[in-house]
Each structure stands twice: as C-alpha cells, then as structure tokens.
Amino acid sequence: MFGIRYYSAMTQVVLVGFVCFLCPGMFNAVNGLGGGGQMDATAGNNANTALYSTFVVFGVLGGAIVNLCGVRYTIFGSGFMYALYSASYIFLNHHPKNASFTIAAGALLGVGAGILWAAQGMIMVSYPREEEKAKYIAVFWVIFNLGGMLGGILPFAINYNSTQTKNADGVYIAFVVLECLGACLGLALAPPSKVTRSDGSSVVLVKYTNVGREAIEVIKLFLNPKMLGLLPMCFTSNFFYTYQFNHLNGALFNMRTRGFNNIFYWGFQMLGAFAISRLLDYKNFSRRRRGFVAFVLVFVFFNALWGGALGVYLKYPAGLPETDRMDFKESKRASGYIILYMLCGIGDALYQSLAYWIIGALSNDNQKLSRYAGFYKGMQSFGAAIAWQLDVKVIPRNQLIANWVLIVASAPFMLYVIWNIKDHSEDITKTIGGSDTEYDEKAVAANANTSVDASRSA
C-alpha cells in the first residue's frame, strides 16, 4: 500500500513541493528582504542579474536536460546551487566591498535553478489529470510558499532585538542547512515512468529520447505560435519582484519588519493559489471560459496593485532614510503599507498559477511540458535579469511604469493563447517526434483500458 501511495502523482507533487520549500523557498526569503538582506542593495541586484542571465539559457535548455538525465539527479545537483548562493552572503557580511563571490554564486545558481524549475514544472503540470491540474498547482504553491514563510520567520526572530542594518550570519547559515536538505530530498522522487495518476493511468509513455531530438525540440519552441504568444506573460511574471522587494519592503521598513512582512507575503500566496485553483478547475465552465474569467481577475487585481504602488511612490519617492524606516509595531503608520505588500503576494500567486495552468492546458505530454516549463522559466528569467539591472540604473518611478506597462502589454497575447485552449489536450500516446522515440505498448494499453472504464463508470 505504501508503494502505491509513493508512486501516486499527488505524492510526487508534494515531494517536489518540499524540495522547492527548502531551496527556492529559502532563496525567495533572502531576496524578499530587499538587497539579499543587506542595507546596500547593489551586490544583491548584480548577483540577481548574473543569476537570471544564466537562468535564461538554462531555463530554456532545462527541459531537454531533465528529459535526458531524469528528475532526481538534476534536482539533487541543482539544489546545492541554492546553498552556495546563501553561503556567499556570509562572505559578503565580512567583506562588504567584495561582491565577486556573491555575483559568481548567483551565476551558478542560474544554471541550477533553470534545470530545477524545468523538472518541477514538468512534474506539476504533467502528472495530474486534466481536470485536476489547478488543484495540483495549488498544492505545490502552498507547500512551496511555506518555505518563504519560514524564511521570513528566521530573520524576523534572529534580528528581533538586533539594531544591525544587515542580516546576522546565523540567518544565512540556517538557509544553507535547509537548502542542503532540500537538495538531498530530490533523490526521494520517483522516476516518471513509475508514477500513476489518480485514475490509475500512467503518467509517462515515452521511454527514450536523445540529444539530437531535444535540440530540435528546443529550437521548435521559438517557432511555436502559442509559446511566442506566452512570451510577454513569461517576461513579465518575475519582473515585478524587484520593485516589490526593494522599493516596497526594502525601502520602507527596518530589517526585522522586512522578515515580518515576508511571513505574510508568502503566506498570502497560499490563499491566492487556493482561490484561483477553485476557479480554474470549475467543471461547469469550459476550460476556455475558466481561462478568460481568471485572466480578468488577475488583470484587474494587478492594475489595482500598481495603482496602490503609485500612491506609495508619490508619498515616498526615495523611500525612507535608514534611521526612520517603519517598524511593524507602528501600526498606525505602517499597517497600510504592510497590507499592500501582502496583497502583492496574493497577486503573484494568482499570476503564476494562471500561467502554469495555461501551460498545462496546452498538452499532457510530460516531455513536451518539461520543455514548455523550461521556456516559461527561461523567458521569465530574461525579464527578471533586466529588472534587477534596471534597479541599479534607473529611478524607481521608471521601474514602476515599466511594470505597469508590461502587465497591460502582455494582456492581448495571453488572451490569444487562452482563446486557443481546448477542453482536452492531445492524447499523450500520439507520436510527437521521429523514429527515435519509442513507446511502452503495455502502458498505452493500460491507459486505453482505464479510459474505457472511466467512461463506463461515468
């Protein structure tokens, strides 16, 4: 009985959720403090630029690497890049004028993160049945963001009585330990070929791929009209983090309150993911209609958020001086800005959940979806790399405008892709490549029998 539970799609999504809880979740906590937890955000901005620059390449290639090497070992190796990045901030604490190690660690993390997120995306959107995809996305998002909450609690608790303007070494050491645990947890994942869905059907039928095939499939991503339609959405999807972390949280609050705010920023993401999953899996609407309704919700919500951010900017165009930054105990002064930052967390969850749902609605093929997820993360990182460097080069007002314009500009392209979503994706047993792709005939037969049984029971 344990074996059946272990090889279930839900168990695997929960496991990869805890990997991301411990690795990207801790990374998000570091970034969410603004400037990586340093008072001067320059080193953190440059490290993030390096990170997302390499992430662009290895995000796009990540799906191919996962298809060739498997999910367990790619996630295992990638997880340690997160630990190295957090460790680099310990060095920066003691050598504040030498950011080279942190920047190099950021570039290496971009390699690992691109591969890890391609594997994660493939598991999350290809393992569930079509009618359960939003639920599985929500389950992952809740577990993943528990990591961000824990990552907010650690600096809040450790820095509670501290007057330092940067994180203590103990905060980063705690992150390193947790990220190493997350990397090792990747070895607990089952091979996709052994995983079954909730209806008993096999998750994966493709048994073989090779480098030549994967290279061709990666090139074809940039010729796919639907992928090109999603490119503005991908580009925008992490662009807003820089402004939210550095100019809402980092520029307005003291160090312990930044940690306090992140507890709720990531915590409210869980609420957002759960809420939109109920809509995206609502069986009384067609998939296209669900997509349109969710799009309107996300579009209106984000425009309201940027309207609120504009109000904050007009009041504090340069942020607050270090000695006058808000504390969470100053409820009359700080509460409105803390609530806005929390709502930004909900907005992020709504946007990311919709994006992954759209990608998952395009196919059921796990190898194809690993490439789609890699494309999403790669193009997402392209936007993020630009955003982090803009924070060094331009004033906050221009970055706020850029964020708002990108949300509006991406809308018609998202609508195009949603319009082309069908109620059922293509059958994963259909040949998608050349003669070098082999299929498990027993698995095909098992899936066919499962589909017949399901139709009879319906």
Side-chain angles (χ1 to χ4, degrees):
M1 184 175 291
F2 174 79
I4 295 173
R5 290 200 302 270
Y6 171 67
Y7 289 119
S8 73
M10 180 58 79
T11 298
Q12 299 304 307
V13 170
V14 168
L15 280 173
V16 80
F18 277 108
V19 170
C20 292
F21 167 99
L22 291 166
C23 292
M26 296 303 110
F27 166 80
N28 281 346
V30 172
N31 261 9
L33 295 169
Q38 306 289 308
M39 186 51 63
D40 183 358
T42 303
N45 286 343
N46 288 331
N48 275 292
T49 301
L51 187 164
Y52 288 109
S53 296
T54 53
F55 201 153
V56 172
V57 177
F58 283 88
V60 173
L61 297 178
I65 293 170
V66 171
N67 289 342
L68 291 165
C69 302
V71 295
R72 289 184 293 180
Y73 297 113
T74 51
I75 288 178
F76 172 70
S78 299
F80 285 108
M81 297 298 100
Y82 286 90
L84 178 66
Y85 181 76
S86 294
S88 74
Y89 279 97
I90 301 173
F91 178 85
L92 188 64
N93 266 354
H94 299 279
H95 303 87
K97 294 184 179 181
N98 186 0
S100 56
F101 179 31
T102 303
I103 294 170
L108 288 173
L109 176 54
V111 175
I115 298 168
L116 182 146
W117 279 105
Q120 174 275 334
M122 183 271 284
I123 291 171
M124 185 177 69
V125 299
S126 75
Y127 282 16
R129 294 188 297 157
E130 287 184 343
E131 60 269 29
E132 297 177 325
K133 290 195 177 188
K135 180 177 76 174
Y136 279 61
I137 292 169
V139 168
F140 168 82
W141 215 253
V142 167
I143 298 170
F144 166 47
N145 284 295
L146 282 171
M149 284 187 68
L150 175 61
I153 291 169
L154 287 173
F156 175 64
I158 294 172
N159 293 319
Y160 189 83
N161 294 313
S162 173
T163 58
Q164 292 187 83
T165 57
K166 61 184 180 183
N167 267 322
D169 286 353
V171 175
Y172 296 117
I173 291 170
F175 287 151
V176 170
V177 171
L178 292 170
E179 286 159 344
C180 287
L181 289 174
C184 293
L185 185 59
L187 295 175
L189 290 164
S193 59
K194 295 185 178 181
V195 179
T196 56
R197 295 192 172 96
S198 58
D199 61 0
S201 62
S202 176
V203 161
V204 58
L205 303 179
V206 179
K207 294 177 61 178
Y208 174 76
T209 187
N210 61 34
V211 173
R213 172 181 173 76
E214 290 299 329
I216 292 170
E217 293 298 332
V218 167
I219 293 171
K220 286 166 66 176
L221 290 172
F222 294 91
L223 304 175
N224 185 328
K226 292 177 183 176
M227 288 294 100
L228 295 177
L230 290 179
L231 205 158
M233 176 193 79
C234 302
F235 184 91
T236 305
S237 59
N238 268 13
F239 198 93
F240 47 77
Y241 278 167
T242 309
Y243 192 89
Q244 292 174 359
F245 294 161
N246 284 358
H247 299 293
L248 289 180
N249 201 25
L252 298 180
F253 301 99
N254 62 24
M255 186 58 66
R256 71 174 184 179
T257 304
R258 293 190 212 175
F260 174 84
N261 291 347
N262 277 335
I263 296 170
F264 295 98
Y265 180 92
W266 302 112
F268 271 57
Q269 291 227 11
M270 295 186 283
L271 295 177
F274 175 78
I276 199 168
S277 74
R278 304 290 290 179
L279 169 60
L280 291 172
D281 278 345
Y282 187 58
K283 294 180 175 59
N284 291 338
F285 287 174
S286 67
R287 284 214 290 190
R288 181 186 294 173
R289 186 176 181 185
R290 283 177 257 160
F292 281 134
V293 174
F295 167 81
V296 171
L297 170 65
V298 172
F299 186 76
V300 171
F301 195 91
F302 258 91
N303 276 279
L305 284 180
W306 289 121
L310 176 62
V312 174
Y313 172 79
L314 293 174
K315 187 170 184 179
Y316 301 112
L320 288 170
E322 181 183 326
T323 54
D324 191 38
R325 293 190 177 174
M326 295 181 228
D327 188 81
F328 74 98
K329 290 186 175 181
E330 303 174 82
S331 57
K332 290 185 178 180
R333 183 186 182 205
S335 57
Y337 305 106
I338 292 174
I339 290 170
L340 175 62
Y341 188 65
M342 292 176 186
L343 292 174
C344 287
I346 293 179
D348 183 30
L350 295 176
Y351 195 102
Q352 307 291 345
S353 296
L354 175 59
Y356 273 116
W357 180 85
I358 292 172
I359 291 169
L362 298 178
S363 177
N364 291 322
D365 184 296
N366 74 299
Q367 289 195 347
K368 185 178 288 188
L369 285 173
S370 72
R371 300 182 198 107
Y372 287 177
F375 179 88
Y376 172 64
K377 297 303 292 188
M379 295 302 100
Q380 179 187 77
S381 301
F382 182 40
I386 293 173
W388 287 105
Q389 200 52 221
L390 280 178
D391 198 51
V392 177
K393 306 292 185 183
V394 305
I395 60 175
R397 180 195 64 195
N398 291 346
Q399 195 166 12
L400 191 157
I401 292 170
N403 273 285
W404 208 336
V405 168
L406 283 171
I407 287 290
V408 175
S410 65
F413 300 97
M414 290 177 71
L415 288 171
Y416 161 75
V417 179
I418 293 171
W419 177 259
N420 284 282
I421 287 175
K422 300 176 182 178
D423 275 342
H424 298 287
S425 303
E426 80 277 7
D427 191 333
I428 59 173
T429 65
K430 185 171 64 176
T431 300
I432 59 170
S435 59
D436 61 345
T437 302
E438 300 174 1
Y439 294 88
D440 186 338
E441 294 179 0
K442 292 181 180 179
V444 173
N447 272 5
N449 290 335
T450 300
S451 298
V452 170
D453 292 341
S455 64
R456 286 173 178 169
S457 63

